[in-house]
Amino acid sequence: MTKWPKVREYMAATLVTLPPEMEILRAMEILLAERISGAPVVDAAGKLVGVLSKKDCLKAALNACYHQQWGGAVADYMSSPVETMEADLDIVEAAERFLASHYRRFPVVEEGRLTGQISRADLLRALVDNWC
């Protein structure tokens, strides 16, 4: 059996994270400024409690259009619970998880702690690098 690299070797380890109590408009500004499609939501204890995506933000923006005012916290719009990937999962198993899912990226955890994020592009690079 071939020993494939692990998710931890291809994941992004430097992440923009958001607190659940942050005002949703401020969170949207951060996503746009950073040019990212979403961010993990982490509480004060460092626990992953959700993910805020641009799709979630569209819900907040439409809500603001209907009610003529912005309001609410990240926690009101984030997706939760969160599907994660373990850092020690091999890249072939990770690719299978992506194929079975509609997600474009997964938060990566190690011993229950958020340590990074892996995207479809990261995994594609891993598979090309290792020529399955």
Side-chain angles (χ1 to χ4, degrees):
M1 178 173 160
T2 303
K3 184 173 178 168
W4 299 109
K6 304 299 182 190
V7 164
R8 77 170 50 80
E9 297 172 50
Y10 284 90
M11 70 182 190
T14 304
L15 302 178
V16 172
T17 61
L18 306 169
E21 64 277 357
M22 178 181 278
E23 178 63 37
I24 190 66
L25 182 57
R26 178 68 186 123
M28 285 188 237
E29 291 169 346
I30 290 170
L31 295 182
L32 291 170
E34 295 291 330
R35 302 178 70 101
I36 55 177
S37 62
V41 180
V42 180
D43 68 14
K47 181 182 176 200
L48 179 66
V49 295
V51 171
L52 184 72
S53 69
K54 283 186 178 172
K55 183 176 179 180
D56 299 323
C57 291
L58 282 174
K59 293 175 198 170
L62 280 175
N63 188 49
C65 290
Y66 293 140
H67 299 290
Q68 300 299 305
Q69 69 179 28
W70 287 97
V74 167
D76 299 329
Y77 296 97
M78 70 184 187
S79 298
S80 182
V82 182
E83 275 193 57
T84 62
M85 238 181 236
E86 291 290 328
D88 62 355
L89 190 67
D90 75 50
I91 61 169
V92 172
E93 291 175 290
E96 290 170 352
R97 288 267 321 270
F98 270 102
L99 287 175
S101 167
H102 67 277
Y103 296 120
R104 295 178 181 182
R105 65 191 74 250
F106 282 92
V108 178
V109 294
E110 208 161 353
E111 297 178 13
R113 203 178 100 255
L114 178 68
T115 57
Q117 179 174 268
I118 191 147
S119 69
R120 290 177 182 171
D122 297 328
L123 217 29
L124 188 56
R125 183 173 54 263
L127 292 169
V128 168
D129 285 354
N130 293 279
W131 195 247
C132 297

